[in-house]
Amino acid sequence: MKKTILSVVSVLLFSSCVSVEKQENNLQYVDPFVGTTYTGHTFPGAAYPFGMMQPGPQTGNFEWKYCAGYKYEDPQIWGFSQNRLNGTGIPDMGDLLMMPFAGDRNTSYRSSFSKETEVATPGYYSVLLADNAVQVELTAAPHVAMHRYHFQKEKPSVYVNFQSGQVSTEKDYENRIQDIAVNFENDSVISGYYRAKAWTERPLYFTIVFDRPFEGVEDVSESLKGKAPVKVLRFADELQTLQVKVAFSMVSVENAKLNMKQEVPHWSFGQTKKEAETAWSNYLSRVEVEGSLEQKKNFYTSFYHLLIQPNNIADVNGDYRGATEQIQVSPSGKYYSTFSLWDTYRAAHPLYTILTPELVPDFVQSMILHAEAYDGLPIWALWGKETYCMIGNHGVPPVVEACLKGFPIDKERAYQAVKKTLTGKNRKYDWEMYDRYGYFPFDQVKEESVSRTLECGYDDYCAAQLAKDLGKKEDYEFFMKRASYYKNLLDPDTKLARGKDSDGKWRTPFDCYHLSHAGTAGGDYTEGNAWQYTWHVQQDVDGLIEFMGGKSAFAIKLDSLFFLENRAEQTGFTGDVTGLIGQYAHGNEPSHHVIYLYSMVDRNDRTAELLREVFDRFYLPKPDGLCGNDDCGQMSAWYIFGALGFYPVNPVSGDFVIGAPQIPEISINLPDDKVFTMKAHGLSSQNKYVKKVYFNGTEITDYRISYEQIMNGGLLEFYMTDKL
């Protein structure tokens, strides 16, 4: 099926058809504090869409809850670092902690603050530090963080900690900086380099520029030791306002300076803030929502979280440092990383193809460049480096999805990257074993054998579809055979996915409720159990239905997932398995498509009931409103699709499964002045069921709407009812 390829002109005109007033209005609905406590792991700092810098407050460290460096309920701020991760389950970033203060301070530079003085909006953060007598304002450009400090007393100073960063333990903190060189170029410019080691190891080049000279520099002793210096910079007593610019590069100090010169050559904090707000407005204005204030806050905050990453880590001249640390020049000038692909292939990347389609080619090109320089497509890439976090090779689905949806990508080059990933040298998978047994035996693969088999099967299916598109018949058949390996682990007695050893014997004894994090405690599943992973057959739902005994039997089995409350022994870290409805875990990604399976067995009523429950319980516009890690926008993408009334159960298929909308009306402004509108007639707290659904006046009698239909624009209408 042919797709319409975006033209450059249509992309440039994306936001021009939306009034400035509407663009600005949508900013008011974003609340960066949503998800900043419980397990959301989001942050309220200033950010630029897909930018490298996210300056913001740090309120803690050395624990899982501080992956983003901030918890809403904390009473103290430790300082302000320049970057962070959004919604992840492992800490990193938090580079270059800076803390302004006035007057005399002892050994601690931390400050209490009142929540009433804390303000966060897209591209801006502000707070009054009560103990330090300073109001702090932060904003950001793509490669530059900008600070503005308003001192309320004499003796203005700035504490600068080059050691600081988000890590798991205090010991990790001491060892975080592997190598460092700091150069005080003059009385207003500091530059340098360090190599940081946390989740991954990466080089960082920086320049820090002050708009007023510092009069003295003091070394400060630290209780937490490390290789990096910690300094206090003293400024003139009469100074009331101080501005600071911090620019990063992964390539060189010269490039960091070039980034600053090109993006923020001036000292106008207001201009930088306005440019960030305009960038956010241009994206947020692509969607117009008609609904309640709470619905708008949930929707636009989700949209905001989706756009924080992936991050363009190429410098303004196109230089970037990739997985092998060689410096390259990007053909497009962009190189994206921070790909949480185990999470984001499911809904975030399909949503990018609708809401930010002009960015998709660069996302995919960055993945292909990673594959050509390294072992294959990224698994979990952080600032260009491979972390090998999680399972599967889920760079494959977004690459294939983009190729099949008609984006301007070299398909043959993309396919070679896919094939290399799934058949070549792989640090996590023995492909000869996989093909010999038709699954990963639990006596040879000690961790996650079932989950790895199921997730690799989806990647194989994706590879098969691209091979078929390119006319590679033998490769298509090879990968489709692999895609069916899941059947070898479906136990006909329990009707669940169950571990099997190299002799073909089932895991015995078998506790289908046992929940474990395989990376910390062994086990056959990844952050889950048999009940949660059995449904991970996105490529062949019809085959799974047949295995269960048909649609009726499938629906009954699926009901059990949501009703069974058994809580068996848990081993290892299971903090990610949250948002439970029975055994269903909305806080963890393998469950995200499962509710929509009801629509595929003629039980859209159950889809509607469960969607409403998830929306009412697990997406609330408040700090503890998310039931799990936002995972670089995946939880947010799920919300947006749920609100629209459809979901990509099988992302590369180009089809979306019809669910039940949760917002009365949503319009998406598309390229070429096209508009896609969803209307839910009669939607209310009682009217949660779908009576009929039409697209452009024609009734949809199955459960699908295609990507092509959406991108050509039109009207999707749901007629809602309170009756089953």
Side-chain angles (χ1 to χ4, degrees):
M1 183 167 53
K2 293 183 178 180
K3 312 292 184 182
T4 301
I5 297 176
L6 298 171
S7 70
V8 174
V9 173
S10 68
V11 169
L12 293 175
L13 295 176
F14 228 133
S15 61
S16 63
C17 61
V18 181
S19 70
V20 173
E21 180 181 3
K22 188 170 288 290
Q23 289 183 32
E24 293 176 346
N25 283 344
N26 289 344
L27 287 176
Q28 68 182 304
Y29 302 119
V30 176
D31 184 355
F33 290 110
V34 170
T36 56
T37 191
Y38 186 46
T39 62
H41 290 189
T42 62
F43 64 89
Y48 193 96
F50 306 105
M52 198 176 187
M53 310 293 279
Q54 302 83 26
Q58 179 179 312
T59 65
N61 204 347
F62 320 129
E63 299 177 64
W64 181 72
K65 65 182 180 180
Y66 289 115
C67 289
Y70 178 93
K71 294 292 284 185
Y72 183 81
E73 65 271 24
D74 287 342
Q76 282 191 326
I77 289 175
W78 295 16
F80 303 90
S81 53
Q82 316 312 311
N83 55 10
R84 61 251 304 120
L85 293 169
N86 171 41
T88 63
I90 298 178
D92 207 317
M93 303 291 125
D95 290 296
L96 291 187
L97 187 75
M98 303 173 67
M99 186 59 152
F101 63 94
D104 296 319
R105 299 289 292 172
N106 294 319
T107 57
S108 174
Y109 300 90
R110 301 173 187 177
S111 178
S112 63
F113 66 104
S114 169
K115 299 302 294 186
E116 286 71 27
T117 71
E118 196 176 26
V119 176
T121 59
Y124 179 74
Y125 175 87
S126 177
V127 68
L128 177 62
L129 302 175
D131 299 332
N132 289 11
V134 185
Q135 182 189 1
V136 174
E137 295 181 280
L138 306 173
T139 189
H143 298 83
V144 184
M146 194 168 187
H147 302 220
R148 183 163 65 182
Y149 308 142
H150 304 279
F151 297 98
Q152 300 181 338
K153 295 196 306 185
E154 293 184 342
K155 296 184 179 180
S157 304
V158 178
Y159 166 90
V160 184
N161 187 332
F162 295 91
Q163 180 74 23
S164 188
Q166 299 310 124
V167 291
S168 298
T169 67
E170 293 187 16
K171 186 66 175 177
D172 293 331
Y173 181 93
E174 294 177 21
N175 297 324
R176 178 176 184 268
I177 300 301
Q178 303 291 298
D179 184 33
I180 186 166
V182 178
N183 179 24
F184 283 73
E185 296 187 13
N186 54 46
D187 60 5
S188 61
V189 178
I190 307 171
S191 63
Y193 149 89
Y194 63 68
R195 178 170 288 275
K197 183 179 180 181
W199 188 357
T200 187
E201 186 172 319
R202 60 190 165 85
L204 179 66
Y205 296 85
F206 59 87
T207 183
I208 307 171
V209 182
F210 299 85
D211 73 340
R212 297 289 186 272
F214 43 82
E215 297 185 341
V217 180
E218 299 177 16
D219 289 320
V220 180
S221 62
E222 283 289 294
S223 59
L224 293 172
K225 303 300 181 182
K227 290 185 176 181
V230 181
K231 305 288 186 180
V232 169
L233 312 181
R234 303 292 186 182
F235 293 83
D237 281 349
E238 65 274 12
L239 181 67
Q240 295 182 337
T241 300
L242 175 68
Q243 295 190 114
V244 191
K245 295 187 290 188
V246 184
F248 283 170
S249 167
M250 290 190 70
V251 174
S252 67
V253 170
E254 291 73 20
N255 275 18
K257 291 181 177 181
L258 181 63
N259 290 339
M260 184 182 292
K261 180 179 180 180
Q262 183 160 320
E263 293 181 351
V264 191
H266 51 76
W267 283 106
S268 173
F269 184 93
Q271 180 180 335
T272 304
K273 176 176 178 284
K274 182 63 176 177
E275 289 171 356
E277 290 172 343
T278 298
W280 283 112
S281 294
N282 286 339
Y283 283 111
L284 296 175
S285 66
R286 295 183 181 188
V287 183
E288 300 167 33
V289 173
E290 298 296 333
S292 68
L293 178 60
E294 179 173 306
Q295 287 171 331
K296 289 182 178 181
K297 284 185 174 181
N298 273 329
F299 189 96
Y300 286 109
T301 301
S302 294
F303 196 2
Y304 168 79
H305 283 148
L306 177 73
L307 303 180
I308 291 175
Q309 65 291 295
N311 308 116
N312 174 29
I313 63 170
D315 295 322
V316 294
N317 61 2
D319 290 352
Y320 72 92
R321 189 185 297 266
T324 61
E325 301 226 1
Q326 290 186 338
I327 297 172
Q328 307 286 340
V329 179
S330 168
S332 68
K334 303 290 181 63
Y335 186 80
Y336 288 92
S337 193
T338 316
F339 284 119
S340 181
L341 291 160
W342 184 78
D343 309 289
T344 56
Y345 89 86
R346 305 167 195 271
H349 281 279
L351 194 55
Y352 293 134
T353 69
I354 297 172
L355 299 182
T356 61
E358 78 281 12
L359 301 181
V360 171
D362 282 341
F363 292 171
V364 171
Q365 179 68 21
S366 298
M367 294 185 202
I368 293 172
L369 289 171
H370 180 104
E372 291 174 344
Y374 207 54
D375 294 342
L377 292 166
I379 295 174
W380 210 124
L382 175 58
W383 274 38
K385 303 298 287 295
E386 181 58 77
T387 69
Y388 293 102
C389 186
M390 305 310 294
I391 63 170
N393 292 274
H394 294 324
V396 172
V399 170
V400 173
E401 177 187 15
C403 288
L404 298 183
K405 285 182 174 177
F407 285 89
I409 296 162
D410 184 334
K411 289 185 182 180
E412 182 60 38
R413 187 178 177 191
Y415 179 73
Q416 292 307 318
V418 167
K419 187 173 182 178
K420 175 183 180 180
T421 304
L422 300 181
T423 62
K425 176 185 176 183
N426 191 300
R427 300 188 189 189
K428 297 192 74 167
Y429 300 100
D430 182 338
W431 298 129
E432 191 276 332
M433 176 196 299
Y434 183 54
D435 291 322
R436 181 165 71 252
Y437 295 104
Y439 57 92
F440 290 113
F442 68 76
D443 58 332
Q444 297 193 34
V445 177
K446 302 297 184 181
E447 298 178 352
E448 310 165 308
S449 61
V450 175
S451 295
R452 287 172 184 248
T453 300
L454 297 178
E455 298 217 26
C456 284
Y458 186 68
D459 297 332
D460 290 324
Y461 168 82
C462 296
Q465 304 317 299
L466 186 51
K468 181 180 180 181
D469 185 75
L470 292 170
K472 300 178 185 292
K473 185 174 183 295
E474 289 185 7
D475 283 6
Y476 169 75
E477 293 173 351
F478 169 77
F479 283 116
M480 282 303 290
K481 179 182 178 182
R482 275 185 166 187
S484 68
Y485 285 173
Y486 79 91
K487 296 177 181 179
N488 296 326
L489 294 185
L490 293 181
D491 176 13
D493 292 332
T494 63
K495 300 292 186 183
L496 295 171
R498 179 176 178 181
K500 186 182 285 186
D501 67 16
S502 56
D503 291 327
K505 297 178 181 177
W506 294 112
R507 164 82 71 180
T508 304
F510 174 50
D511 183 351
C512 61
Y513 299 105
H514 178 72
L515 182 65
S516 71
H517 188 307
T520 58
D524 296 338
Y525 307 94
T526 302
E527 300 176 6
N529 62 25
W531 273 103
Q532 290 151 11
Y533 252 98
T534 294
W535 316 97
H536 205 293
V537 188
Q538 295 165 275
Q539 73 274 24
D540 188 17
V541 176
D542 289 342
L544 189 60
I545 292 170
E546 182 181 357
F547 167 77
M548 294 290 185
K551 290 184 177 180
S552 178
F554 183 92
I556 292 171
K557 188 73 171 182
L558 196 52
D559 280 340
S560 300
L561 173 72
F562 293 93
F563 293 144
L564 290 170
E565 296 289 346
N566 189 298
R567 297 288 183 268
E569 179 186 1
Q570 301 182 7
T571 54
F573 176 79
T574 57
D576 285 337
V577 187
T578 54
L580 292 169
I581 305 175
Q583 295 299 302
Y584 174 85
H586 190 72
N588 213 24
E589 278 68 22
S591 290
H592 275 190
H593 68 287
V594 173
I595 287 174
Y596 291 87
L597 299 181
Y598 277 110
S599 290
M600 301 176 74
V601 290
D602 306 323
R603 290 297 310 274
N604 181 265
D605 59 305
R606 287 290 292 142
T607 299
E609 291 169 351
L610 289 162
L611 282 172
R612 179 60 60 82
E613 182 173 356
V614 170
F615 267 66
D616 288 349
R617 291 178 57 189
F618 301 143
Y619 288 94
L620 304 174
K622 57 183 185 176
D624 62 350
L626 297 181
C627 69
N629 302 161
D630 192 60
D631 286 315
C632 292
Q634 169 58 26
M635 287 282 287
S636 294
W638 191 97
Y639 176 91
I640 292 172
F641 273 124
L644 282 163
F646 49 85
Y647 188 83
V649 170
N650 177 358
V652 305
S653 70
D655 287 334
F656 299 86
V657 174
I658 296 291
Q662 303 298 309
I663 288 179
E665 183 174 342
I666 302 172
S667 291
I668 301 173
N669 297 300
L670 300 168
D672 300 319
D673 292 328
K674 295 177 181 178
V675 178
F676 173 83
T677 299
M678 183 284 297
K679 289 186 177 181
H681 300 287
L683 178 68
S684 67
S685 57
Q686 294 79 27
N687 294 349
K688 60 186 175 185
Y689 299 105
V690 176
K691 183 177 182 181
K692 289 183 181 295
V693 57
Y694 293 85
F695 182 69
N696 288 341
T698 301
E699 185 175 3
I700 296 177
T701 56
D702 59 10
Y703 49 83
R704 302 177 192 272
I705 184 171
S706 73
Y707 176 75
E708 187 175 37
Q709 287 175 304
I710 293 168
M711 298 308 287
N712 281 332
L715 176 61
L716 178 66
E717 295 178 281
F718 291 86
Y719 289 85
M720 311 302 291
T721 179
D722 63 346
K723 297 181 175 62
L724 291 175

